[in-house]
Amino acid sequence: MAARTIAVMMAGLTLSHLASIGAYRIDLLTQFGSSIEHEAAERIATVRAAVLKAGPDERERTAQLLSGRRLDVHWSHTPLAMATDVTDPQLAALLDRLREATPDQRDHPLHLAFAADPDHPGDGGHMLLVSAQLPDGSWLNLRYILAEQPPSTPHGLLLSTGLMALAVAGLSILLIRSATAPLRAMARAAERLGIDVTAPPLPETGPSEVRQAAHAFNEMQKRIQRLLTDRTQMFAALSHDLRTPLTILRLRAEFVEDDEQHAKMLSEITDMETMISATLAFLRDDGVQEETEVIDLAVTLATICDTLTDSGCHAEYTGARHVPMRCRPAMLKRAFLNLIDNAVKYGARARVTLSTGNGKIHVEVADEGPGIPEAEMEKVFHPFYRVERSRSRETGGFGLGLTIARGTIRAHGGDVALANHPDGGLRVTIALPWADH
């Protein structure tokens, strides 16, 4: 938002700056053209008056004395410029000015024409030819050089307007960033809330709209905290209520005299207790927010692999040696333990690889098992769903491992993806946000 606002502001400021310079330049050129026409008319009128005052024998000499750098004057019995229809706007303006400056010339012919300047062919201008008939029938012929370099835009003006534009742009950028700072703070708070609902509330300061948004955000956070607390208390009560009838069933099973039926009943009750404990643990972990702290994820993964190896399983770790990360340690460790343990159970061997890049932590857990059918890639993340359909404790748990793992990783701002490797085995890819501490 800040970048877009700054870009729009800079574009508008640049266009305004260019338009003002262009308008100033046009006005400068217009004034320059008007001043040239006025100067030419006044000078020609002055020369004509001086030549008229001189006697017939002195007129040519007077004309030569009045000639200068841009004006060549001659007195002659023939006109230099021929009579033509004046269609050029500049010539028409000059003719009007000359007639205003020399009212007595209205009764005598006055010819104007443009010609190329032979002495300055490359200056981009032209020469004015004027032939004014005097009362005695002779002609005053003038060559007036109009070719002059038009004035350029003053460097001081460009510098001052440029500095003013930079000052306005700099101040605007500071104000825009200051105005959008609360929005950036709110975005960071929203990301933090997804990881830790016990994070400190937003400060309710700034403009009224920002205070209202911060207040609404804080109220939402309080409601989420209350919902999680109420659900945790409900789960605790549910755990107690469910264990009571199971205890009664276990006591009644003791009175069954058939040893085979007695064993079956106790086994079923044990499975029910285990399933209830696993379910309640999953629900409690989903609702309880553990305090965050910085851990070394590389060391954590290596420790999990070493522990599984010591217990007789095949698990190896490769990759970065130190990757600090802020997280909820127990929950994240349990999530990775579930993923690596699944690879060992169903794929014979687990190979864990850790790398970082582009602000992400990438973890891959590969096994050598049969993989998972493509149609069931998403289903295995559903609670209690297992690719192996039996509910026997000997073939695995209750189908909560992947559910817990993905829920925990998503709560940390990451995600989990499954893919079968072409050479066999399943690849579990985990991506987590990371900032070097």
Side-chain angles (χ1 to χ4, degrees):
M1 180 177 175
R4 290 183 178 181
T5 305
I6 291 171
V8 171
M9 184 271 300
M10 291 298 293
L13 188 61
T14 301
L15 290 175
S16 175
H17 185 60
L18 293 176
S20 62
I21 291 179
Y24 174 80
R25 177 73 175 171
I26 292 172
D27 184 62
L28 193 64
L29 291 175
T30 302
Q31 293 181 7
F32 171 72
S34 178
S35 65
I36 288 295
E37 293 168 4
H38 180 74
E39 179 190 355
E42 292 295 330
R43 192 166 181 183
I44 291 170
T46 302
V47 169
R48 178 181 177 279
V51 171
L52 280 175
K53 288 181 181 179
D57 296 335
E58 296 294 325
R59 286 180 178 175
E60 178 60 25
R61 184 170 178 274
T62 301
Q64 292 180 1
L65 290 174
L66 292 172
S67 298
R69 182 175 62 87
R70 294 169 50 208
L71 180 63
D72 186 19
V73 185
H74 292 282
W75 176 73
S76 174
H77 293 285
T78 58
L80 177 65
M82 297 295 104
T84 57
D85 293 333
V86 178
T87 57
D88 187 278
Q90 190 176 9
L91 273 181
L94 276 169
L95 183 60
D96 291 340
R97 285 185 178 271
L98 281 172
R99 291 196 182 280
E100 291 174 3
T102 57
D104 57 334
Q105 186 66 45
R106 295 181 182 275
D107 298 330
H108 303 281
L110 180 62
H111 303 165
L112 276 71
F114 281 135
D117 183 6
D119 298 327
H120 303 85
D123 62 3
H126 43 245
M127 180 171 58
L128 174 65
L129 303 180
V130 181
S131 292
Q133 190 180 47
L134 303 179
D136 61 358
S138 61
W139 290 84
L140 180 65
N141 297 316
L142 302 95
R143 293 185 178 90
Y144 190 82
I145 306 298
L146 295 177
E148 267 200 352
Q149 206 58 20
S152 59
T153 304
H155 295 291
L157 175 65
L158 291 176
L159 179 61
S160 63
T161 54
L163 291 176
M164 181 180 66
L166 287 176
V168 172
L171 182 61
S172 300
I173 290 172
L174 289 177
L175 292 176
I176 290 170
R177 291 190 62 83
S178 175
T180 56
L183 298 179
R184 294 194 296 273
M186 194 171 297
R188 290 192 295 269
E191 293 176 355
R192 188 170 63 246
L193 179 64
I195 299 175
D196 183 9
V197 295
T198 62
L202 278 173
E204 298 180 14
T205 58
S208 59
E209 294 85 358
V210 174
R211 292 199 304 271
Q212 291 174 4
H215 179 73
F217 183 89
N218 291 335
E219 288 298 315
M220 178 190 68
Q221 184 173 353
K222 289 178 183 178
R223 287 195 294 270
I224 292 174
Q225 290 172 348
R226 285 196 298 268
L227 287 172
L228 292 176
T229 301
D230 294 343
R231 194 174 70 164
T232 302
Q233 293 173 352
M234 182 189 67
F235 292 152
L238 182 62
S239 175
H240 178 270
D241 293 343
L242 287 175
R243 292 182 189 278
T244 299
L246 287 175
T247 302
I248 295 174
L249 287 176
R250 184 179 290 278
L251 289 174
R252 289 181 177 177
E254 296 297 332
F255 294 97
V256 176
E257 297 179 355
D258 189 323
D259 292 339
E260 182 178 355
Q261 292 297 323
H262 177 263
K264 288 182 178 180
M265 290 181 66
L266 291 179
S267 177
E268 293 294 336
I269 293 171
T270 300
D271 285 347
M272 290 175 65
E273 288 178 336
T274 304
M275 183 182 296
I276 291 171
S277 297
T279 303
L280 292 175
F282 163 64
L283 295 174
R284 282 197 302 270
D285 287 345
D286 190 45
V288 177
Q289 293 297 317
E290 178 188 358
E291 292 294 330
T292 63
E293 61 181 78
V294 178
I295 66 168
D296 193 324
L297 185 59
V299 173
T300 299
L301 294 176
T303 301
I304 293 174
C305 291
D306 291 341
T307 301
L308 290 173
T309 300
D310 293 340
S311 64
C313 302
H314 297 284
E316 57 179 313
Y317 170 81
T318 58
R321 298 182 62 183
H322 298 286
V323 178
M325 177 187 177
R326 177 169 291 277
C327 63
R328 295 195 289 271
M331 292 183 65
L332 194 64
K333 182 177 180 180
R334 180 182 178 188
F336 279 111
L337 178 59
N338 286 344
L339 295 174
I340 299 171
D341 187 56
N342 277 353
V344 171
K345 285 181 179 178
Y346 304 111
R349 180 186 298 273
R351 292 191 299 275
V352 182
T353 307
L354 173 63
S355 62
T356 60
N358 298 324
K360 295 282 187 180
I361 297 175
H362 301 279
V363 181
E364 182 183 88
V365 180
D367 62 42
E368 298 177 357
I372 297 176
E374 294 292 334
E376 300 192 19
M377 286 290 187
E378 181 62 27
K379 293 179 181 178
V380 295
F381 289 110
H382 297 173
F384 308 109
Y385 185 86
R386 295 175 58 200
V387 178
E388 204 288 311
R389 298 295 180 181
S390 75
R391 290 292 181 178
S392 172
R393 295 287 297 132
E394 297 177 358
T395 60
F398 296 102
L400 290 173
L402 288 177
T403 307
I404 293 172
R406 187 166 74 167
T408 299
I409 289 168
R410 284 184 171 178
H412 283 79
D415 208 350
V416 183
L418 305 181
N420 292 317
H421 196 275
D423 297 332
L426 183 68
R427 297 291 184 272
V428 182
T429 304
I430 303 99
L432 288 164
W434 180 62
D436 195 6
H437 292 268

